[in-house]
Amino acid sequence: MKQFIISLAFLLLFSGIGLATEQRIISGTVSDETGSPLPGVTVMVENTSRGTITDLSGYYSIGVNPQDKRLVFSFIGMETEKVQIGKQDTVNVKMTNNQIACEEVVVIGYGTQKKRFLSGSISKAKAARTSYMVVNDNFDWNTENYSAIHENGFKNVSVNPLSTFSIDVDNASYSNVRRYLNAGELPPTDAVRIEEMINYFSYEYPEPLNEHPFSVTTEIAACPWNNENYLMHIGLKGKSFDKTELPASNLVFLLDVSGSMNSPDKLPLLKRAFKMLVNELRPNDRVAIVVYAGAAGKVLGSTPGNKKTKILDALEKLNAGGSTAGGAGIKLAYKIAEENFIEGGNNRIILATDGDFNVGVSSTSEMERLVEQKRNNGVFISVLGFGTGNIKDDKMETIADKGNGNYSYIDNIQEARKVFVSEFGGTLFTIAKDVKFQLEFNPKQVKAYRLVGYENRLLNDEDFNDDKKDAGEIGAGHTVTALYEIIPAGAGGDVPSVDPLKYQTSKNVTGENSDELLTIKLRYKKPDEHKSILLELPVQNRLNTETSDDFRFSAAVASFGMLLRKSEFMGNTTINSVINLAESAKGADSEGYRSEFVRLAKTLDNLEFVAEEK
């Protein structure tokens, strides 16, 4: 009998342990005071490291144990909410604005500063309806850098019949702009690169059917912000591959662990993002990890993709501290990439940083020369930006551009998933490099034209045929979109002009091909070749009366960018016209990115800053 009681006691004890550690799932949605969903809200189990982030619909799902007491909901600019777990499986939370009354905050160029740090005469900016204003007590200045953008104007076809530029599949500008607007701030004007905002979204272009690695699509209709003009939409679609068909990868993670990365939206988010990428690796892929702070060092040698635990452990042990020896880190990363080079494979460094390089090789020009030299050896570099207040956008964009890579800005875990999971092939696998556009406009049909965006991708006309001239890359499955606003021949209004030439005359166009609006020419190289291939496509002067979702949505994003930039070319654009145009063009929107854009446009509508004299 005694033995039976002891056995029963042990049975009850271990049953109790099983019950005590049994986990269940709690899910729900998080919204603001108006009921609008809040993406990017951090949801943590109190006093643990277990957490998640709400998706684009404000939805979350998290595992809890019986001993867990509360969930903590936090979002920048909002009051933190702590909710008792109890026995319910659904917990919906409504968050309220954080009312900051301790001192006056003045909105200035690239962020906010407390008034006591300013001198001279200033104007206060009062928000009529303010959403989620950011005040970060950890720093009192903002050191973010952006290259100046001088917006493209109209070109007279009789003087400038050719328009030449390099493609761009970077999308950092959109997620960076989203970060500002979600924080209740207007982005700096030069942070708004319209072509990157357009190219953040994917479009339903057809797969290539011939020998070229991408298809070309055109669509022409009345310009939404100026009905007297045309808008031409050009789309490229890179050939899609099944993940198993992609070549093996030799990757080097080059990770900034300097003191400036010691922030929840920097190194902790970086770790979670790269864990997603590690989970996508195949056994024939390899990963090494290099870090840099006060000095650069290798924390993981080149490791096969099937040893995920080893790679993840190395990531998890990273901590932030020290200065930023970025130049030394890049040199070491290239050395390791070259030592493990895979012929015919994807040899790439992925640099993740808040952009600061303050020890060793640090100037933009020095970095540019270094990555240009190494790309010729077949090792490319992509760049991921993290965090706020310290982004060196100009430097990071240059490194990715000159290093034959992509530049993305990671503002939340959903963006990390988009870059590393949803767009895995396009982010990592180049199918065509040095891709250049050259459009020749027919003066019998076109009076003037304007390329929307791509200001820092313009090329000289003679660069088109120069195979030594670097240009952009397109990845597997990626789409690239460009818009031209066109003033048709015979339209009224002034266009830029020059005096008649003294020593030569322009050749008159014959009547042949007079129905053609323009001709599109493309040059590209295969990833492992140095001689370009030419693709030519004439475009007829035929306007569509009914436009595709892709045409209208890209036009809505362009209008939004022009509105943010206060562009002189935005015509009759209003925030309501942007919202209406985008809502009519959401299409299937399986990932919800177009719906998120509409929400972002509505957020801008709520940011009405009124200048007042002090």
Side-chain angles (χ1 to χ4, degrees):
M1 183 67 178
K2 182 176 179 181
Q3 184 177 3
F4 171 77
I5 293 173
I6 293 173
S7 298
L8 181 61
F10 271 103
L11 178 64
L12 291 173
L13 173 64
F14 283 106
S15 297
I17 292 173
L19 290 172
T21 59
E22 184 178 356
Q23 192 177 75
R24 63 189 177 93
I25 300 298
I26 291 180
S27 61
T29 57
V30 182
S31 59
D32 63 14
E33 293 170 295
T34 68
S36 299
L38 284 175
V41 175
T42 299
V43 184
M44 298 291 296
V45 177
E46 191 175 39
N47 298 324
T48 75
S49 60
R50 287 178 280 127
T52 187
I53 293 181
T54 57
D55 64 14
L56 297 173
S57 302
Y59 176 82
Y60 74 93
S61 176
I62 191 169
V64 298
N65 297 324
Q67 65 268 28
D68 295 331
K69 301 300 182 183
R70 292 194 296 185
L71 295 179
V72 181
F73 299 80
S74 57
F75 188 65
I76 194 164
M78 311 292 282
E79 295 286 354
T80 297
E81 300 289 342
K82 296 184 178 181
V83 179
Q84 293 289 338
I85 291 175
K87 296 182 179 181
Q88 67 268 38
D89 293 329
T90 301
V91 176
N92 297 324
V93 173
K94 183 173 288 187
M95 303 188 75
T96 59
N97 287 347
N98 184 4
Q99 301 299 324
I100 300 170
C102 58
E103 61 179 318
E104 182 182 2
V105 174
V106 180
V107 178
I108 62 173
Y110 284 59
T112 59
Q113 279 193 4
K114 294 184 177 68
K115 187 177 177 182
R116 66 176 182 271
F117 293 102
L118 300 176
S119 61
S121 177
I122 59 172
S123 294
K124 290 183 288 184
K126 182 178 73 176
R129 290 176 291 162
T130 305
S131 301
Y132 325 139
M133 179 61 70
V134 176
V135 175
N136 189 338
D137 288 329
N138 293 327
F139 59 87
D140 294 311
W141 60 86
N142 190 315
T143 63
E144 297 188 7
N145 288 338
Y146 299 90
S147 296
I149 296 174
H150 303 287
E151 197 169 17
N152 291 330
F154 280 100
K155 297 289 187 180
N156 187 327
V157 172
S158 63
V159 180
N160 298 286
L162 298 178
S163 174
T164 309
F165 68 99
S166 162
I167 71 160
D168 187 358
V169 291
D170 292 341
N171 54 35
S173 181
Y174 177 80
S175 50
N176 193 27
V177 165
R178 177 178 64 198
R179 181 253 299 189
Y180 271 95
L181 294 177
N182 278 339
E185 296 183 68
L186 295 174
T189 300
D190 291 325
V192 182
R193 295 188 289 272
I194 293 176
E195 77 282 355
E196 291 189 21
M197 296 181 67
I198 294 171
N199 282 299
Y200 178 87
F201 302 92
S202 59
Y203 300 90
E204 295 299 320
Y205 304 143
E207 285 284 335
L209 299 176
N210 51 31
E211 72 276 13
H212 300 291
F214 48 78
S215 64
V216 185
T217 302
T218 61
E219 188 173 356
I220 306 170
C223 181
W225 55 84
N226 188 342
N227 288 329
E228 294 181 357
N229 294 345
Y230 302 163
L231 185 67
M232 182 173 68
H233 175 118
I234 308 172
L236 304 186
K237 170 64 183 294
K239 184 178 180 180
S240 299
F241 292 88
D242 185 85
K243 185 175 153 181
T244 58
E245 299 175 319
L246 294 170
S249 288
N250 162 37
L251 303 178
V252 179
F253 298 168
L254 175 56
L255 310 179
D256 182 353
V257 294
S258 62
S260 65
M261 294 291 289
N262 190 20
S263 173
D265 59 349
K266 295 185 180 181
L267 187 57
L269 179 58
L270 181 156
K271 289 182 182 180
R272 296 172 69 188
F274 276 83
K275 288 176 182 177
M276 288 184 173
L277 176 56
V278 171
N279 287 329
E280 296 296 310
L281 297 177
R282 304 156 301 175
N284 59 337
D285 298 326
R286 302 188 67 85
V287 169
I289 301 178
V290 172
V291 298
Y292 62 92
K298 179 175 69 174
V299 299
L300 180 70
S302 188
T303 303
N306 58 356
K307 295 188 176 180
K308 291 182 171 55
T309 301
K310 183 177 181 181
I311 302 170
L312 294 173
D313 286 346
L315 282 171
E316 189 58 39
K317 292 174 182 176
L318 300 179
N319 292 298
S323 57
T324 317
I330 286 180
K331 289 180 177 179
L332 179 57
Y334 273 118
K335 179 176 182 293
I336 294 173
E338 290 168 347
E339 289 172 348
N340 296 279
F341 192 87
I342 299 176
E343 288 293 340
N346 171 42
N347 299 279
R348 185 179 299 267
I349 296 167
I350 304 177
L351 167 61
T353 178
D354 62 357
D356 221 359
F357 296 86
N358 55 28
V359 176
V361 176
S362 60
S363 73
T364 301
S365 59
E366 288 176 290
M367 291 288 183
E368 186 175 327
R369 284 190 289 272
L370 175 64
V371 299
E372 282 179 336
Q373 174 193 346
K374 296 299 184 180
R375 76 175 182 224
N376 294 329
N377 298 335
V379 178
F380 298 166
I381 183 168
S382 292
V383 183
L384 304 178
F386 287 83
T388 63
N390 200 41
I391 287 292
K392 301 298 183 285
D393 178 88
D394 52 349
K395 188 171 294 184
M396 293 192 288
E397 184 187 21
T398 297
I399 292 171
D401 178 28
K402 301 302 180 182
N404 282 7
N406 315 111
Y407 170 38
S408 300
Y409 175 79
I410 309 295
D411 58 334
N412 56 45
I413 199 65
Q414 281 78 33
E415 186 64 18
R417 180 183 177 277
K418 179 178 185 289
V419 171
F420 281 151
V421 180
S422 302
E423 299 175 356
F424 177 76
T427 301
L428 297 181
F429 297 93
T430 298
I431 61 172
K433 67 180 182 180
D434 292 341
V435 185
K436 306 171 190 173
F437 267 105
Q438 187 168 82
L439 279 66
E440 181 180 355
F441 291 88
N442 181 357
K444 285 188 174 295
Q445 301 290 340
V446 178
K447 182 177 182 179
Y449 62 87
R450 186 178 79 88
L451 175 60
V452 180
Y454 289 93
E455 286 84 2
N456 59 359
R457 295 291 192 265
L458 299 179
L459 297 173
N460 296 324
D461 293 337
E462 58 270 23
D463 292 337
F464 183 74
N465 292 327
D466 184 357
D467 281 352
K468 297 189 296 294
K469 188 67 177 179
D470 180 57
E473 289 68 47
I474 185 169
H478 253 180
T479 60
V480 180
T481 302
L483 302 180
Y484 276 88
E485 184 176 356
I486 296 172
I487 300 177
D494 296 329
V495 297
S497 63
V498 297
D499 292 338
L501 298 177
K502 180 178 179 181
Y503 299 107
Q504 63 184 20
T505 57
S506 299
K507 181 181 177 182
N508 291 327
V509 178
T510 64
E512 187 179 358
N513 299 328
S514 61
D515 288 338
E516 292 179 1
L517 192 70
L518 57 104
T519 295
I520 298 173
K521 293 191 292 184
L522 286 133
R523 281 197 180 275
Y524 69 92
K525 300 173 189 170
K526 294 180 180 180
D528 55 351
E529 295 184 3
H530 301 288
K531 184 174 177 57
S532 66
I533 299 168
L534 176 65
L535 171 61
E536 194 166 324
L537 177 70
V539 178
Q540 301 297 315
N541 188 1
R542 297 191 185 122
L543 262 65
N544 294 340
T545 54
E546 294 186 7
T547 54
S548 67
D549 288 343
D550 287 342
F551 180 96
R552 295 194 306 281
F553 191 81
S554 63
V557 178
S559 301
F560 186 65
M562 288 190 287
L563 201 63
L564 287 170
R565 292 187 57 83
K566 296 180 174 59
S567 169
E568 63 176 294
F569 304 106
M570 68 182 183
N572 56 19
T573 296
T574 65
I575 192 60
N576 285 332
S577 70
V578 170
I579 293 169
N580 293 337
L581 193 60
E583 284 186 329
S584 76
K586 287 190 291 187
D589 196 27
S590 58
E591 296 286 346
Y593 297 122
R594 294 191 180 190
S595 297
E596 184 204 39
F597 171 80
V598 173
R599 182 192 65 79
L600 205 63
K602 291 178 179 178
T603 298
L604 178 64
D605 192 31
N606 289 332
L607 292 173
E608 294 180 352
F609 291 90
V610 182
E612 292 182 344
E613 292 294 331
K614 183 180 178 183

